[in-house]
Structures are given as structure tokens and as C-alpha cells.
Amino acid sequence: MKYAILAAGEGSRLVSEGVELPKPLVRLHGEAMIDRLMRIFMDNDAEEIFVITNNLTPLIQQHLYQVQNSGLPLRIVVKTTPSSMHSFYELRQIMGNGPFCLTTVDTIFREDEFRRYISAFRSLQPDGLMAVTDYIDDEKPLYISTTDSMDITGFHDTFSPGIRFISGGIYCLSHTSYPTLDRCMERGMSRMRNFQRQLVADGLHLCAYPFSKILDVDHAADIAKAEDFLSSCDTGDRAAEPKPETRTKPRTFSIVFRESHFSPNMVDKDAAILQAVARNMQRKGYKQNDDIECADIVFTMSREPKMLERLGELERRGVTVINSPAAVTNCNRVRFTRLFVNHHIPIPHSTICTPDKIPELSLPLWIKKGDGYSERPEDVMYAESTYGVEAAMQKMSSLGNSVLVVSEHARGDLVKFYGVRRTRFFRWYYAADGHSKFGHETINGQPSRFDFDTNALQTICHRAASVLGIDVYGGDVVVSPGGHFTIIDFNDWPSFSQYKDEAADAISQLVEVCQSRGRRGQEKR
């Protein structure tokens, strides 16, 4: 699925009201609006994201190029256009065929509703599926008339009896819309609303998809309004849940601890995060059950193949398993290396090989156990010379490691990150400031603290998690001069270090997100 963002407007009303940042960079709960859109798109399997911005705001251009350099599949057009339809036309030149979702940069909506909207477009496959809402807070709304079956019959500047919806500024379209766009340009038309009218005139099949509420950020006062709305989105679904005491049968959960040999020097810390999640779930009214066969939800840190197979069967029966066993398997080093290469996630130049084959890579190198997970210091070895590489590979062979991942050393600041996908939780810190499992972090030395975009880091890490299908994750990234990122490790369910309590709260929220999506078990990818 392709996604596109119209961000070429000047945002003059915000500027006149004292907002210094360009509209796309205005932050809502600490996240720039354009970064929020890109993150949501990546969570909804974006193949590519196309953005157009004007040539009057270098700050936006600089931000977008930083995001692009971080590894996001982002294509940027810099051009000042007279209208949103003209901006769409410029993007159309590089987007190619296939379905896509187009939105203005300041649309604020519920993420769960957006996921269902994208899913509906994929299932229905109309010429266009337009996001609509009955919430009106726009100075010049575009009213939409529909049939009872939600087919769109017209777009109107004024209200008429019987009209229920206005446009939300989000458009899922097929490439069948391109000839209409070309004709609009040939006739000298402008504005997206006129393009939409022409789609109806040309006989394309357009459907309306209702959102509960969609906001635009046009004025300074809209920023606080949007933040209040997003805050309500975080708690709305949970507030609507029946109180625990009114349930005839409490929902149940189980926890599966990580096997000790997969937690070298970390057994207590790994157990502590699961125990914190359990306390949160009990406060929410869930009952803990030690028998995973009788639980509605299973939180698992297991990496044992037999347990993963058992959990996979529970998942197929409808149990919510976090993390999904298939996703945990994807965190095997060989698997995630291949997946990251195929999906253009920035990692060091690497090769997968056997211990008897010396790779042709630039020194120094990291030689890592490829099959399974690290259990001892010797499963990850650093070598600065050819002799050191040969010795490390011989050691790997003697330990029974038949498949290796060999990677070039990434120079820069080593940063550890933690995230819970589908929530707001994302944290990072310099590795030198925290606990070391095997001591390998010392190779990169003390951090120079190169400047980098934290939102871009979150975006690329969430994207990597999306590629693996993992929800609760952590890992290591090297930040080089210029703020470029290289992910060197990615793990299913870390201990979360000093962020344990915050992470536990986010993980317990994740249950509600998964169930509100109707995702019982393994997410379809």
C-alpha cells in the first residue's frame, strides 16, 4: 500500500496567530503531525510514503530528508503549488499505479479507526473510499451526500437536508482516479473538492467510510483541541469497557517467563517486567491463571521452540498472545537480517555464512551466532584483523554454531531503544549509561552525543518492528554524525531497564488495542 501526504500549504493562519513552527512540524503530545502520519502509515504496511512540501520552508525539507536518510521508504517532492489538487498532481507523477491513501498533513483521527478504514478499502476495492465524519468543526466543510449503502452521490459546499457527513480529508483511491485528475488539470481546475466532484461526474464508484471524529489544525487553538482529542482516544475504548465487578466471568491472562539460558545475567530483570505487567492487568480487573490453556491472553517471553509451537496453537484458537510466536521466531538473527535487508531497514553491511567461509567485508567485523538467540558471551564476537576473524569463526564452529551472521562494525554512538508498537511508548538511552549484558557495548566507547531526530528514530524502529510483526521490542542502534541510524540488534521483549513501569503500562494498553482491532492471535501480514 502506498501513502501520500499533502504538506505544501503555507499554514499562514497558524503563523499569524503566533505559532512559530511550520504546520507539519507542529507537535501534538511531543510528536510532529507529519511524523505521526508517517508512523501510522508504517504501522499499516506502507510500501512507500510520498510527501510534497513547498520550497518556502527549508525546515520541513531538512526534517524530511533526515527521516528519509534514517531508512524510511520516503520520497519527497519540493514544489510550491497553487492548490491541494495541484500538489496531488505533482505526487501522481512519481507514485505509479496501484491503490494509495492520500491525506492532508493536519488530519487528526483515531488510529484504530484508520486501521479499519485501510482494511475496508483493501476488502471493498472501490475506485475510492473517502473518510467522512458527522463531526463538523471546519470553517468551510465539504458536505457529502450518500445513499443508504454509503455510496457517494455528490460533494457540496453548502448543507442540504438529508446530508449526514462532511469530508475528513483522507482519500483512499485506485489509480483509476488518475485520468480524472489529468482532465481536471487540462481544464485549469483546482482544489481537491473539485477533483472529487469530477470523480462523481466521471462515474467512478466512490464509497464513504465514517470516522467518529476527524479534526484539522488550522488555528493555534486547534492544537490544544487536537491534543485533548488524542488523549481521549487513548482512554476511550477502555472507558467503554464494562467494569470488572459487573462481569460474570473475569477475563484471564497467563504469563510465560523467559527460559534462564536465554536470559544471561538478566533473569531477575526479565522476570520483573512480566511481573509488572501482571500487576497492571490485575488492577484492570483481569484474573491471572497459571494454566495457559485456560487464559484469554498470554504474555510471553519464551524462546523455546516447543513452547512457541504450543503458543502458536493457542493463537490459532483465538487466544491473544503477546508477542506472537511467529514474530518471536522472526527475531532470530538470520531471519531479521534477511527481512531487514528485503525491507530496506538500515543495518550494517552483513552476510550470512558458515564458519568455514571467510566473508569479504571491511574490518573490523562482528561475528554472531545466526541460528537462534544469544545465550553466552561467545555467541557475539568482535574482530579487528583477519586472524581475529578466523579465530572467532573457529570458536563459533567449536560451539556448534553452523550458521553465522557477520557484519561490518558501525562506528558512532551506541543507543539502546525500547518500544511498544500501537502505543505511544518509545524510550532510548546511550548504552554507556546503562547495564551491559556481555560488555560488548564498550567497543563503541563513550558517546559523542551526535544530534539526531528522536521522532525519526521512533519511526524507523516501529517500522522494523512492523516488518517482524513484533509488538513489544527493544534493540541497539548506532547513530553516526549527521544523525544517520544503523540498527545492529533487534530483540523480542527486553527487560526495559529503568523504563519497566512505563513499559508495563503500555503493554497492558496493548491488549485493548489488539482486541479492539479484532486481532485475536497472529496479525495478518
Side-chain angles (χ1 to χ4, degrees), residues 337-359:
T337 298
R338 287 174 173 156
L339 285 167
F340 285 177
V341 168
N342 291 339
H343 289 82
H344 308 291
I345 303 294
I347 64 173
H349 188 197
S350 303
T351 188
I352 298 168
C353 63
T354 55
D356 60 342
K357 184 178 180 181
I358 304 297

Side-chain angles (χ1 to χ4, degrees), residues 198-268:
Q198 193 60 45
L199 289 173
V200 174
D202 288 350
L204 273 71
H205 180 208
L206 306 181
C207 301
Y209 186 94
F211 281 59
S212 60
K213 191 175 186 179
I214 299 177
L215 300 177
D216 293 333
V217 178
D218 292 321
H219 297 280
D222 294 337
I223 298 174
K225 191 183 301 182
E227 289 191 318
D228 288 344
F229 171 54
L230 292 178
S231 295
S232 71
C233 292
D234 287 341
T235 58
D237 288 341
R238 295 191 296 282
E241 285 286 330
K243 299 297 182 183
E245 58 269 23
T246 67
R247 293 181 181 273
T248 57
K249 180 182 178 182
R251 293 170 294 180
T252 61
F253 72 93
S254 289
I255 58 175
V256 180
F257 292 100
R258 181 162 288 157
E259 300 79 10
S260 59
H261 58 97
F262 288 125
S263 288
N265 304 321
M266 297 290 288
V267 172
D268 291 342

Side-chain angles (χ1 to χ4, degrees), residues 324-381:
S324 167
V328 174
T329 302
N330 280 340
C331 290
N332 167 302
R333 186 169 279 112
V334 166
R335 282 177 175 265
F336 83 65
T337 298
R338 287 174 173 156
L339 285 167
F340 285 177
V341 168
N342 291 339
H343 289 82
H344 308 291
I345 303 294
I347 64 173
H349 188 197
S350 303
T351 188
I352 298 168
C353 63
T354 55
D356 60 342
K357 184 178 180 181
I358 304 297
E360 296 181 359
L361 296 174
S362 299
L363 294 168
L365 296 177
W366 288 93
I367 299 91
K368 304 177 183 181
K369 174 183 177 181
D371 190 18
Y373 311 88
S374 297
E375 302 176 49
R376 52 203 167 193
E378 296 83 3
D379 287 338
V380 177
M381 303 181 73

Side-chain angles (χ1 to χ4, degrees), residues 67-306:
V67 173
Q68 185 183 59
N69 290 336
S70 73
L72 201 77
L74 178 63
R75 297 182 66 181
I76 304 163
V77 174
V78 178
K79 187 170 184 178
T80 300
T81 60
S83 78
S84 54
M85 192 187 78
H86 286 77
S87 294
F88 175 29
Y89 181 76
E90 294 299 328
L91 291 179
R92 175 251 190 279
Q93 308 306 311
I94 62 171
M95 285 172 59
N97 290 333
F100 61 91
C101 177
L102 173 74
T103 179
T104 54
V105 73
D106 62 340
T107 49
I108 311 300
F109 48 81
R110 294 180 64 102
E111 294 182 36
D112 58 336
E113 291 182 335
F114 184 81
R115 282 190 288 268
R116 291 192 288 270
Y117 167 63
I118 295 298
S119 178
F121 178 58
R122 287 170 170 156
S123 300
L124 296 171
Q125 296 185 340
D127 293 312
L129 186 65
M130 309 308 207
V132 301
T133 180
D134 59 6
Y135 175 81
I136 303 176
D137 189 38
D138 200 308
E139 295 172 345
K140 296 180 179 179
L142 177 64
Y143 296 93
I144 298 179
S145 55
T146 64
T147 65
D148 291 340
S149 59
M150 299 302 285
D151 289 336
I152 294 175
T153 58
F155 297 87
H156 316 277
D157 290 328
T158 58
F159 173 78
S160 297
I163 291 180
R164 294 184 290 161
F165 302 111
I166 66 169
S167 172
I170 310 172
Y171 324 96
C172 275
L173 295 165
S174 165
H175 68 274
T176 55
S177 63
Y178 285 164
T180 296
L181 177 62
D182 293 340
R183 282 192 290 273
C184 288
M185 294 296 293
E186 291 168 1
R187 297 172 186 174
M189 298 168 63
S190 65
R191 305 187 71 189
M192 282 297 291
R193 61 180 58 196
N194 290 326
F195 163 68
Q196 293 175 83
R197 291 188 179 106
Q198 193 60 45
L199 289 173
V200 174
D202 288 350
L204 273 71
H205 180 208
L206 306 181
C207 301
Y209 186 94
F211 281 59
S212 60
K213 191 175 186 179
I214 299 177
L215 300 177
D216 293 333
V217 178
D218 292 321
H219 297 280
D222 294 337
I223 298 174
K225 191 183 301 182
E227 289 191 318
D228 288 344
F229 171 54
L230 292 178
S231 295
S232 71
C233 292
D234 287 341
T235 58
D237 288 341
R238 295 191 296 282
E241 285 286 330
K243 299 297 182 183
E245 58 269 23
T246 67
R247 293 181 181 273
T248 57
K249 180 182 178 182
R251 293 170 294 180
T252 61
F253 72 93
S254 289
I255 58 175
V256 180
F257 292 100
R258 181 162 288 157
E259 300 79 10
S260 59
H261 58 97
F262 288 125
S263 288
N265 304 321
M266 297 290 288
V267 172
D268 291 342
K269 290 180 181 292
D270 282 348
I273 178 61
L274 276 177
Q275 291 163 347
V277 170
R279 289 193 294 271
N280 271 21
M281 294 297 289
Q282 289 168 342
R283 283 195 292 267
K284 290 174 179 288
Y286 290 79
K287 182 179 179 180
Q288 186 167 353
N289 191 322
D290 293 335
D291 183 358
I292 63 173
E293 300 288 341
C294 300
D296 301 308
I297 303 144
V298 178
F299 299 97
T300 174
M301 293 179 76
S302 177
R303 290 174 174 171
E304 280 291 351
K306 288 185 178 179

Side-chain angles (χ1 to χ4, degrees), residues 423-462:
T423 75
R424 294 180 181 280
F425 178 85
F426 184 82
R427 299 291 184 272
W428 66 270
Y429 65 91
Y430 290 105
D433 298 338
H435 171 77
S436 175
K437 185 185 294 187
F438 294 134
H440 297 311
E441 290 84 354
T442 59
I443 300 297
N444 282 73
Q446 290 297 313
S448 299
R449 302 183 187 272
F450 300 121
D451 187 41
F452 68 92
D453 187 331
T454 55
N455 287 328
L457 176 61
Q458 178 176 357
T459 298
I460 194 61
C461 291
H462 270 8

